């Protein structure tokens, strides 16, 4: 496939004539004018800040899970339910994102999502009950869910000729936020007096900052470059693929791949620090190990989408990432403390299946409407499939008295993940199959 930086996007074919050396985005007759450069820069900043907030709600909790369990008197099974809440919320609320974006605008929905994250993180540590903690977490996760879905949509709409680069940029920011929360939550908690509630609530500040760039776009209803003006025909065209995307084997393969990588990611974020702590590693070091795992995504989340966008088939990347996961889980089973840093690095590489999945969402479609539907379908269905994983790990841990069975489960799931990823990575689009 041609370089995503140089190829002419499908949406921009047949553009109106331009004066020589005009570098603005090409237009279709009847579509909106190209956005001002400052607006594109603002959207890029907003994407980065939003991405920074898409995981701290989860990894900060993983670093302090033992303290939260003791403070709220949770059993292992209940803690397993807690680690399953993120994918559940992503599945339930994610399906709402396309409809909300069509009605209110993607910028307004992301702005509301960042506000929901800030509110949920602010109130959840101080509610004082497990049910209240779960409800406040769900509020924050609702904001994350709609933003998750709209990230590839915004990239495809506003940066159609830079899908790989912009996907890599916000994926890198997402990985940075994930790693930062894992690394500093425990030391920040200690520095602020040792109360786990304080250690969790500080992340509400970052979410509040992320609201600011999106305020400018709250009232914006202007179609993005290459998008037709709103109207009945547009609404019909946007809604039609929803009834047919389930006929696409590529869409189902991508949903399964997304769900299996999400299962691995949320098990890792929710339980890996506890695995290391039970192996004799200190709480601070366990948090750093999780941070190392998440930090691997910072450079790789930028590199992998660019490499993937240059390949006709992404199957080889899928296999390499899966093998890293198998080796990492095997080491975690055999020598969790002795080789802790090596296993953290390998599992960090394996977790980079996430930016790869996002990149494939953009590559498996030919239209803006297609990417909206595929993003919603693949992510919502994928997160729905990932719900049992973290819960099952908690149940196996509590009833087996150790980590042998849970780690064996994690390793075993790498096999179907590789199969689904190879199928999803074939050079085809959902429009050809629906």
């Amino acid at each position: 496939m041609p370089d995503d930086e140089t190829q002419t996007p499908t949406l921009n074919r047949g553009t109106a004539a331009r004066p020589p050396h005009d570098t603005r985005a090409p237009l279709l007759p009847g579509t909106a004018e190209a956005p001002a450069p400052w607006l594109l820069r603002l959207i890029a900043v907003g994407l980065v800040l939003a991405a920074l907030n898409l995981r701290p709600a989860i990894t900060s909790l993983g670093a302090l899970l033992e303290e939260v369990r003791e403070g709220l008197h949770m059993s292992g099974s209940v803690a397993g339910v807690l680690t399953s809440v993120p994918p559940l919320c992503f599945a339930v609320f994610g399906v709402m994102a396309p409809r909300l974006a069509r009605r209110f605008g993607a910028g307004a929905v992301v702005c509301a999502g960042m506000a929901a994250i800030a509110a949920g993180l602010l109130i959840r540590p101080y509610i004082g009950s497990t049910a209240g903690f779960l409800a406040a977490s769900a509020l924050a996760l609702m904001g994350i869910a709609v933003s998750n879905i709209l990230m590839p949509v915004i990239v495809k709409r506003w940066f159609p000729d830079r899908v790989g680069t912009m996907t890599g940029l916000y994926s890198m920011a997402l990985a940075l936020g994930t790693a930062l929360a894992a690394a500093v939550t425990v030391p920040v908690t200690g520095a602020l007096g040792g109360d786990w509630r304080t250690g969790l609530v500080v992340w509400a500040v970052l979410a509040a900052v992320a609201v600011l760039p999106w305020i400018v776009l709250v009232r914006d209803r202007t179609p993005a470059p290459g998008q037709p003006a709103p109207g009945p025909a547009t609404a019909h065209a946007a809604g039609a693929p929803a009834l047919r995307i389930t006929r696409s084997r590529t869409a189902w393969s991508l949903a399964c791949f997304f769900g299996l990588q999400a299962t691995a990611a949320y098990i890792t974020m929710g339980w890996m620090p506890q695995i290391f702590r039970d192996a004799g590693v200190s709480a601070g070091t366990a948090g750093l190990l999780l941070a190392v795992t998440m930090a691997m995504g910072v450079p790789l989340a930028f590199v992998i989408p660019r490499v993937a966008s240059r390949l006709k088939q992404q199957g080889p990347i899928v296999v390499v990432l899966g093998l890293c996961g198998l080796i990492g889980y095997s080491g975690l089973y055999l020598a969790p403390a002795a080789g802790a840093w090596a296993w953290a690095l390998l599992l960090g590489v394996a977790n980079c299946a996430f930016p790869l999945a996002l990149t494939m969402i953009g590559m498996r479609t030919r239209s803006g409407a297609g990417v909206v539907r595929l993003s919603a379908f693949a992510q919502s269905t994928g997160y729905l499939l990932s719900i049992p994983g973290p819960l099952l790990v908690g149940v196996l841990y509590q009833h087996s008295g150790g980590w042998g069975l849970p780690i064996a489960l994690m390793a075993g799931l790498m096999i179907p993940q590789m199969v689904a990823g190879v199928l999803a990575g074939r050079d085809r689009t959902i429009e050809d199959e629906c």
Side-chain angles (χ1 to χ4, degrees), residues 132-160:
F133 190 93
L134 288 170
S137 295
L139 174 61
L141 292 166
M142 176 177 67
I144 297 173
V146 294
S147 301
N148 267 334
I149 298 297
L150 293 179
M151 291 294 102
V153 173
I154 290 171
V155 167
K156 184 78 169 183
R157 292 183 65 197
W158 295 101
F159 306 95

Side-chain angles (χ1 to χ4, degrees), residues 322-360:
L323 290 176
C324 287
L326 282 174
I327 297 170
Y329 286 129
S330 299
L332 205 58
Y333 182 91
L334 297 171
W341 296 100
W343 317 141
L345 287 169
L346 286 166
L347 292 175
V349 175
N351 277 348
C352 288
F354 176 71
L356 177 60
L358 294 179
T359 304
M360 288 196 286

Side-chain angles (χ1 to χ4, degrees), residues 77 389-409:
S77 297
L391 175 59
L392 185 56
V393 165
V395 172
L396 290 175
Y397 171 57
Q398 179 170 338
H399 291 283
S400 69
W403 287 106
L405 285 177
I407 293 173
L409 171 66

Side-chain angles (χ1 to χ4, degrees), residues 65-82:
L65 185 57
E66 184 171 316
E67 288 74 13
V68 174
R69 286 176 58 192
E70 293 176 356
L72 297 178
H73 309 292
M74 292 182 188
S75 67
S77 297
V78 173
V81 171
L82 183 60

Side-chain angles (χ1 to χ4, degrees), residues 8-22:
T8 301
T10 302
L11 293 177
N12 293 331
R13 291 174 184 166
T15 56
R18 290 285 193 193
H21 310 298
D22 190 340

